[in-house]
Amino acid sequence: MNPAAVAPALEAGDEISTLIERLLASEQRLEELTSGEVDTVSGRDGRTFLLRRAQEQLRHSEAAKQSAILGQLRVLFDLMPAMVWFKDTKNRILRVNQRAADDIGKSVQEMEGKSIAEFYPDDAAKYYADDQEVINSGKSKLNIIETIRNRAGEKIWIQTDKVPLLDKQGKVAGIVVMAQDITERKGADDNVQRLAAIVESSADAIISKTLSGIITSWNSAAEKMFGYTAAEIIGQPMLVLLPPDRADEEAEIQAGFVKGELVRHFETVRLRKGGERFDVSVTISPIKDAAGNIIGASKIVRDITEIKKLEQQFRQAQKMESFGQLAGGVAHDFNNILAVIQMQLDLFKDYARLSPEQVNCINEIGVSTERAVALTRQLLLFSRKETLQLRDLDLNQSINGMTKMLRRILGEDIEVQFRFSMQLMAIHADAGMMDQVLMNLAVNSRDAMSNGGILIIETSSMNFGETASMPPAQGRSGSFVCLSVSDNGCGIPPANLARIFEPFFTTKAVGKGTGLGLATLFGIVQQHKGWVNVESEVGQGTTFRIYFPRLAKMPLAAQKPEHPKLSSLPGGNETILLVEDDDFLRPSLCNTLSRLGYHVIPVSNAVKALEIWQVRHDDIQMLITDLVMPGGMTGKYLGELLLQQKPNLKVIYASGYSAEIVGTDFPSKEGVNFLIKPFHTQKLAQTIRDNFDKPSGEGRI
């Protein structure tokens, strides 16, 4: 072999290659010295002998020197951290160092002269293929990453270099294989790659920076969140992501590191590439070098914009719930006040010699009271302490009754045009809810016409069928009444049009809208088995079309009942236990019942009622009680208790809430054993008389 030819063939050019070159050269020189012959010199025998002896001494001296060098090189060869072996072109091992023998679990003598297949039968074909590639090409093959089994049978990772070994003629006579155990490094590399994959696939932005605030890493989530690519932002200061009012945060974080605050979590605001502010939560921790010195910081940033919106909506929902509870309580108490007014009006009408002007005044007060009752009912509906009261009505008349209120709400800068169909617009609906639908649409249009405009309210009839005009996508076949509300305001962008009926969705400024108006409207329309169609164009205006099932005909409207005088109402002489906690309503009821001829025992709560009952239960023939009372005992419980003791007792309940809201386990019916406050004297008198005159046991709970 040509040792000088090994080095040029070694592309690695490292210390191992140099050591191998010297080892081969020393072995060859030693072989030449030990196998060489002494030249014969002509001349006298003595001189020839001396020359021969001198040559032998020189040869032995050189051989000893080369042997010493070879021994040193062999020691270094065996101590090399890499596994090294020489193989011929037939895959036989010619030389192997101690490290390779130790890792395989054999001695050097056991390995030399053997094929590699004897030690790695499963992988021999792969190793041989690589060897042949080097032998055939005469070129080195470096940085081969592969696995072998060590002497313990464990799989380890090695990095292998294979270099051609040339003979004196420059032909490939074999290969030199150098392999290093990189299992630990491979594990570390794998961990780094896994960590990098986690960072890259994270939904949160993961950013690192120097202590001076220069960005050094930027994952994909950061690109999506902030809008900057890694190429654009790496090397830039963190301040480009901070609004001006948050510029001091970086200095505060740096100061925190100095104080030992190694991990901080906080919520703040950041800037997107276009300058848009958005809410984020940030977790920041220091980056340390091998000596433990802080050299930078790592940030995990999460976009919490939607979470903030949900929190705001939740708070708004809580406020609306509180408002609903407040509205229900106010409506209940207000109904007691209205009941007093209504009762006093009925009593006042019983007085004689009223002038026409006085009668008109009383009627106006009565109309205002009815309007107040409708208002409280809307509050109860809002607080879900009232149910829909469906009846047949003419939508034209319903809208006509709202005209004055609409003009007052819309203002003078908005022109309102009413276009009523000449046909009967008969629907089965809740009148109060129809008023609310119209009010919500009008207010929505008003807000869209900040500089004034025209609002058109129109009614029409529509017939949809398979052969006639087809209904809208969300509609159905049949005959319908259409309420159309059009404005020439700013219009609704297409992106918002699909969301306008979502609860709490609003494009108005904070404090200008709750986002509940159109959502409430949508719910009301669905409850009435209808649907809504919206057409809008930015800058041109919006049209809402609401469809309700149309009635083929509507019964003739009954004349509004005239409330007769108290003296003409049915009465009696029975004894009634009246339980009413309102100190103003109780005297009015007591006065009215007394004037109807009844003997009345008025008390303010259930506890006092029980005290009276213990003494006079034989005399008492009817209990009239409010349902909601202080003192821990409800009117329902009081009624049940007294009926257990006296089954033929007549019981009438009264409340500012509807019978349906009282409870499904409470079989009450308005006008039979239940009165909704406020009520007219005529209804009170008739309900009492009906209960007394019917057989015992009917209409009770």
Side-chain angles (χ1 to χ4, degrees), residues 81-96:
M83 296 177 283
V84 183
W85 51 80
F86 308 149
K87 295 194 290 185
D88 61 17
T89 56
K90 296 181 179 179
N91 207 29
R92 288 177 300 187
I93 300 173
L94 302 177
R95 295 281 189 277
V96 65

Side-chain angles (χ1 to χ4, degrees), residues 545-688:
R545 291 187 177 87
I546 302 176
Y547 298 88
F548 297 108
R550 185 184 180 191
L551 300 178
K553 60 180 181 178
M554 192 168 66
L556 292 175
Q559 291 186 352
K560 195 170 183 179
E562 297 229 357
H563 301 296
K565 291 184 178 181
L566 194 62
S567 57
S568 64
L569 295 176
N573 59 0
E574 291 89 350
T575 300
I576 298 175
L577 177 59
L578 174 64
V579 188
E580 171 58 59
D581 64 292
D582 190 283
D583 293 336
F584 293 95
L585 180 57
R586 187 172 60 255
S588 295
L589 282 170
C590 186
N591 188 11
T592 299
L593 293 173
S594 296
R595 295 185 64 178
L596 288 170
Y598 297 108
H599 303 288
V600 185
I601 306 173
V603 293
S604 60
N605 57 58
V607 175
K608 292 181 179 179
L610 286 176
E611 293 174 358
I612 297 294
W613 177 262
Q614 296 302 323
V615 179
R616 302 188 56 181
H617 62 274
D618 290 335
D619 301 333
I620 298 171
Q621 296 159 285
M622 175 175 282
L623 170 68
I624 299 178
T625 178
D626 192 9
L627 277 173
V628 181
M629 293 184 295
M633 186 182 297
T634 65
K636 177 176 179 288
Y637 182 79
L638 175 64
E640 290 173 342
L641 187 61
L642 299 190
L643 281 169
Q644 289 176 4
Q645 301 178 31
K646 191 173 184 177
N648 63 345
L649 179 70
K650 308 294 184 180
V651 180
I652 296 176
Y653 301 95
S655 177
Y657 303 138
S658 68
E660 291 85 347
I661 298 300
V662 171
T664 56
D665 61 338
F666 183 62
S668 56
K669 185 176 181 182
E670 185 184 357
V672 177
N673 67 334
F674 189 86
L675 291 170
I676 299 177
K677 300 176 185 177
F679 42 77
H680 286 283
T681 302
Q682 179 187 9
K683 191 164 191 176
L684 172 65
Q686 193 63 54
T687 302
I688 293 173

Side-chain angles (χ1 to χ4, degrees), residues 138-212:
K139 295 181 180 180
S140 300
K141 190 171 183 178
L142 309 177
N143 297 321
I144 305 169
I145 306 299
E146 53 194 355
T147 61
I148 62 171
R149 296 282 176 180
N150 62 15
R151 62 188 306 169
E154 301 169 338
K155 185 176 74 172
I156 62 172
W157 288 89
I158 60 173
Q159 177 180 311
T160 305
D161 295 334
K162 296 189 176 184
V163 181
L165 190 62
L166 307 181
D167 60 14
K168 292 181 179 181
Q169 288 74 36
K171 295 181 179 180
V172 177
I175 60 172
V176 179
V177 180
M178 294 168 286
Q180 288 184 307
D181 186 344
I182 59 168
T183 304
E184 290 186 6
R185 192 183 80 190
K186 186 69 166 58
D189 290 344
D190 289 345
N191 288 336
V192 170
Q193 291 177 3
R194 281 194 293 269
L195 180 60
I198 292 171
V199 169
E200 197 61 25
S201 62
S202 172
D204 296 329
I206 300 179
I207 306 166
S208 61
K209 68 180 187 70
T210 65
L211 282 180
S212 60

